[in-house]
């Protein structure tokens, strides 16, 4: 079986999570979503969650050493032997270098780096109408992918919420952080010759096709 060790990065709201789930189903490999891990830790008020919460509410990056050690720990689990998808990590050149070191220590390397590209206006439109299920993580859009019943998750019946950081002023800060710290990763990975850029617009089927092509 081909091993696929994938990094997926792109601006908030570019559909990274949707793509990650598609890839995970296609190849049977786990998704590691740092945002979900941190949100769940914040909900449960663990030591990690208490540190992360304030940064997340402002749309700032959680300190590197916190995120790097949680990724190191996760990539050391046996279920990543056939591959993994890192969704939302690395988010800066420092994190990319830390990831290189983690992978060296574990004796593995990245096979694909996918950069999802989308313009800021589309992102703001998408995120301000995004609703998420706090229980199972399903994601909806009030116009293009609404739940069957208003405000209720199709999958598990929980009441949908707007993430605190999907409010417009926080979205603007997340975009600023993205452009300053995360976008330069495309140069970092381009030098290694493994970068594929995909368009973040389009329907889920179009997205699935582009992802399959990219892989
Ligand atoms: P996301 O769901 O990927 O948009 O992430 C939500 C928030 O979690 C971000 O705005 C950051 O505060 C935090 N976060 C997620 N991934 C990382 C990371 N790799 N480095 C630092 N902070 C992160």
């Amino acid at each position: 079986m081909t091993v696929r060790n994938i990094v997926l990065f792109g601006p908030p709201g570019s559909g990274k999570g949707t793509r990650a789930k598609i890839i995970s189903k296609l190849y049977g490999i786990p998704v590691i979503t740092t945002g979900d891990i941190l949100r769940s830790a914040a909900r449960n008020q663990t030591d990690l969650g208490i540190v992360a919460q304030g940064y997340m509410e402002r749309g700032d990056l959680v300190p590197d050493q916190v995120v790097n050690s949680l990724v190191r720990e996760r990539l050391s689990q046996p279920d990543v032997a056939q591959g993994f998808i890192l969704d939302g990590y690395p988010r800066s050149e420092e994190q990319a270098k830390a990831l290189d070191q983690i992978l060296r220590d574990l004796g593995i390397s990245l096979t694909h780096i996918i950069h999802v590209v989308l313009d800021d206006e589309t992102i703001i439109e998408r995120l301000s109408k995004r609703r998420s299920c706090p229980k199972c993580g399903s994601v909806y859009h009030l116009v293009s992918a609404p739940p069957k019943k208003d405000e209720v998750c199709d999958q598990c019946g929980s009441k949908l919420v707007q993430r605190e950081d999907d409010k417009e002023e926080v979205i603007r800060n997340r975009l600023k952080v993205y452009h300053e710290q995360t976008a330069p990763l495309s140069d970092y990975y381009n030098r290694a010759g493994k970068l594929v850029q995909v368009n973040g617009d389009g329907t889920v089927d179009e997205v699935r096709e582009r992802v399959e092509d990219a892989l």
Side-chain angles (χ1 to χ4, degrees):
M1 191 175 155
T2 314
V3 173
R4 290 186 174 82
N5 297 334
I6 302 168
V7 159
L8 199 60
F9 79 96
S14 57
K16 293 191 300 297
T18 307
R19 280 172 182 70
K21 282 187 193 132
I22 292 172
I23 300 170
S24 170
K25 267 213 189 121
L26 265 174
Y27 301 113
I29 51 179
V31 183
I32 302 169
T33 305
T34 45
D36 283 350
I37 298 171
L38 293 168
R39 266 187 294 282
S40 149
R43 250 196 324 276
N44 296 321
Q45 290 288 290
T46 63
D47 291 349
L48 168 69
I50 291 166
V51 173
Q53 193 162 17
Y55 295 95
M56 296 173 80
E57 281 168 3
R58 292 188 297 275
D60 289 331
L61 294 187
V62 173
D64 285 349
Q65 69 271 27
V66 174
V67 188
N68 293 339
S69 60
L70 88 78
V71 170
R72 178 182 287 275
E73 147 81 28
R74 183 63 188 86
L75 286 178
S76 307
Q77 306 293 320
D79 66 330
V80 304
Q82 292 308 322
F84 55 81
I85 306 146
L86 277 170
D87 165 19
Y89 177 94
R91 249 172 154 103
S92 65
E93 197 163 320
E94 290 70 33
Q95 289 186 9
K97 287 182 180 152
L99 175 62
D100 287 345
Q101 184 60 48
I102 294 169
L103 296 173
R104 262 197 301 279
D105 293 345
L106 295 171
I108 50 182
S109 53
L110 295 176
T111 57
H112 302 83
I113 294 121
I114 303 179
H115 180 194
V116 187
V117 185
L118 195 63
D119 66 274
D120 286 7
E121 284 318 304
T122 312
I123 287 168
I124 291 169
E125 205 280 328
R126 271 194 192 177
L127 288 186
S128 54
K129 295 200 173 72
R130 176 159 83 172
R131 295 294 179 271
S132 313
C133 175
K135 193 154 168 230
C136 74
S138 297
V139 180
Y140 301 85
H141 183 275
L142 292 182
V143 178
S144 63
K148 292 197 184 80
K149 219 171 121 196
D150 253 7
E151 315 261 317
V152 176
C153 179
D154 292 351
Q155 303 300 323
C156 74
S158 303
K159 185 169 166 25
L160 300 177
V161 296
Q162 180 175 36
R163 275 170 48 177
E164 278 303 314
D165 61 350
D166 280 348
K167 303 201 165 141
E168 185 158 341
E169 62 285 6
V170 187
I171 296 172
R172 293 201 183 271
N173 188 43
R174 289 165 71 201
L175 281 172
K176 181 168 170 279
V177 169
Y178 174 77
H179 288 298
E180 287 173 4
Q181 305 203 45
T182 311
L185 282 182
S186 64
D187 284 340
Y188 182 82
Y189 284 126
N190 214 4
R191 275 179 252 139
K194 287 183 189 156
L195 187 76
V196 184
Q197 285 201 334
V198 299
N199 178 354
D201 230 341
T203 64
V204 172
D205 284 335
E206 285 165 343
V207 164
R208 182 176 293 113
E209 250 171 54
R210 286 182 209 138
V211 163
E212 282 191 74
D213 285 350
L215 293 171

